[in-house]
Each structure stands twice: as structure tokens, then as C-alpha cells.
Amino acid sequence: MSSSRFSAGLGLLFCALTAAGCLVDRGALTAPPPTGVDAAPLDAFVEPGTDAPVPVEDPDAFVAPEIDAFTPPSPDAGLCDEVGEACCGTACNGGLSCVSGICESPGCGMEGGACCSMSRCFSTTVCDAPRCVHCGRLDEPCCGDGSCESGTCDGGRCAACGELGQPCCAGSCRAGTCSGDTCRPPEGTRGGPCRGTLDPCERWSQCNLSGICEPCGLSGETCCGIGDCMGSLRCNFGGGFRCN
């Protein structure tokens, strides 16, 4: 029997032996706090009224940067939706038309239409900004490869050729001789190319620095040589070296 039960028994016996009797506490006996292996561990005890310790963050601890998730762009994003860009396959965005592999405004490149990007026009037209105009006929612009339907390309325009004073037709003339891309009278004659001899030009003409037999000696013309003029004409040395 435990010491607590023994003490309680003695108390009851003592009360029974006395004449006055006694009050007995009939409440449940309270066991003493556990000891030994049943006791709570000392380090589990938390003093009332105190907060649990809060860990201090190390300021030098490495924190991985936040990286946004990669979203691959759309294959057509920013492509083939501007004039002058390469077509996406055979199509363009934004209402543009695929013309020879380039995105263009609809209707460009044809006669009367706007020039396409890089001043391009098609068929028998060339860009005369801002429109494509017909090319190749006389007095029209030369076509893109420098060709003309008739005549020859002279200074960017199609001109008649082959006759005296006209441009040469592909290096030849129907009249005279092709000299300096122009049809001129025969060699040695007035207005014609100089001959490659000691007598480069006919009478009353002389070879100038451009290799052309220029007129001289007649009334109002430059004096020939050192002052030669035809007939009764005299060289006016003080009046522009002309025959009067």
C-alpha cells in the first residue's frame, strides 16, 4: 500500500475512535506529479509569457533572382506586315500583297499605279515617282534595262536615232558616221569626225579639240588656221578672230 493510502486510513480510524467524530474529504485522491522516466523533458518547457524565438535572417544569404517564364514569340510576329518586307511564304499581313516575294501595297507596279518599294515597276513601266508610267516609246522614259521599243535611249529617254545629228542606233547610223554616240557627217567633212591623217578635215573646216571638223573661214565663222578667210573676207583679229 502506498504511503498516501496508509495516511488516509489512519485518519479514518482516528475519527472513529473519538467521540466527536470528524469530517472526511471524500474527493478523489490526487496523484503527485510524475517523476523519473514519465517526467516531461526539461528542454520542452516554455516559460509562460515569453514568445518563441524568431530566427534572424542572414543578410549575406544568397537569394536566387526571379526569372520570368519564357514565352516563345509567334512565328509571324512582326513579319510580313510592312511594305518592303519579304513575304511570309506567299502571303503578307495587314492587307498587303506579295509581289515578286516582297510585301507591297495592292495594285502597285502597274501603269498608272503607285511605284512599289525600291522604285520598282513591272511590265513596260518605270517609276516616275510617285507613279509607274509607260516606257520604251519615243519621248518616253527608257525601260528598266535601258531599252526602247523604238529609237534609242539617250539621256534616259527614248529618242529617234540613225540620222545626222541624232543619236547612233546601237553604234550605227543610217546617214553619216557614228562619232561620240551621235550620227555625224562623213569623216573629214564639216561637222564630221576628223580623219586620222595629216589632213584631218576638208577645206574651210578644221579639227577642234573634240575631234570634230568644225566650220571656219566663211562669213561670221572663226578664221581658219592663223587667220585664213574665204574670198575677199578678212580675219578680224580684234573682233573675236572671225571672218568679216
Side-chain angles (χ1 to χ4, degrees), residues 89-147:
T90 58
C92 295
N93 297 328
L96 300 179
S97 300
C98 184
V99 181
S100 299
I102 302 295
C103 292
E104 303 284 7
S105 299
C108 76
M110 297 292 104
E111 184 175 355
C115 301
C116 294
S117 60
M118 296 175 285
S119 300
R120 295 182 305 152
C121 292
F122 304 97
S123 186
T124 55
T125 63
V126 292
C127 183
D128 186 13
R131 299 278 174 194
C132 292
V133 298
H134 195 277
C135 65
R137 296 184 291 229
L138 290 179
D139 296 325
E140 289 182 346
C142 306
C143 291
D145 58 356
S147 64

Side-chain angles (χ1 to χ4, degrees), residues 28-227:
L29 298 178
T30 303
T35 59
V37 295
D38 295 332
L42 294 177
D43 57 0
F45 176 75
V46 178
E47 182 179 350
T50 61
D51 296 330
V54 178
V56 179
E57 186 174 320
D58 184 356
D60 297 328
F62 173 76
V63 178
E66 183 178 352
I67 301 176
D68 295 334
F70 174 73
T71 303
S74 169
D76 295 334
L79 299 177
C80 57
D81 52 7
E82 295 289 341
V83 170
E85 292 183 341
C87 304
C88 289
T90 58
C92 295
N93 297 328
L96 300 179
S97 300
C98 184
V99 181
S100 299
I102 302 295
C103 292
E104 303 284 7
S105 299
C108 76
M110 297 292 104
E111 184 175 355
C115 301
C116 294
S117 60
M118 296 175 285
S119 300
R120 295 182 305 152
C121 292
F122 304 97
S123 186
T124 55
T125 63
V126 292
C127 183
D128 186 13
R131 299 278 174 194
C132 292
V133 298
H134 195 277
C135 65
R137 296 184 291 229
L138 290 179
D139 296 325
E140 289 182 346
C142 306
C143 291
D145 58 356
S147 64
C148 294
E149 294 178 14
S150 56
T152 189
C153 186
D154 181 41
R157 300 193 73 83
C158 294
C161 64
E163 301 298 330
L164 290 177
Q166 294 179 348
C168 304
C169 297
S172 63
C173 297
R174 290 185 291 273
T177 302
C178 182
S179 176
D181 296 328
T182 302
C183 292
R184 301 185 182 278
E187 286 186 351
T189 63
R190 285 186 161 212
C194 302
R195 295 187 293 253
T197 66
L198 295 176
D199 184 22
C201 299
E202 63 182 0
R203 182 68 169 155
W204 308 119
S205 62
Q206 58 189 358
C207 189
N208 62 21
L209 296 178
S210 299
I212 301 298
C213 292
E214 63 179 10
C216 67
L218 303 185
S219 178
E221 295 176 347
T222 303
C223 304
C224 294
I226 58 174

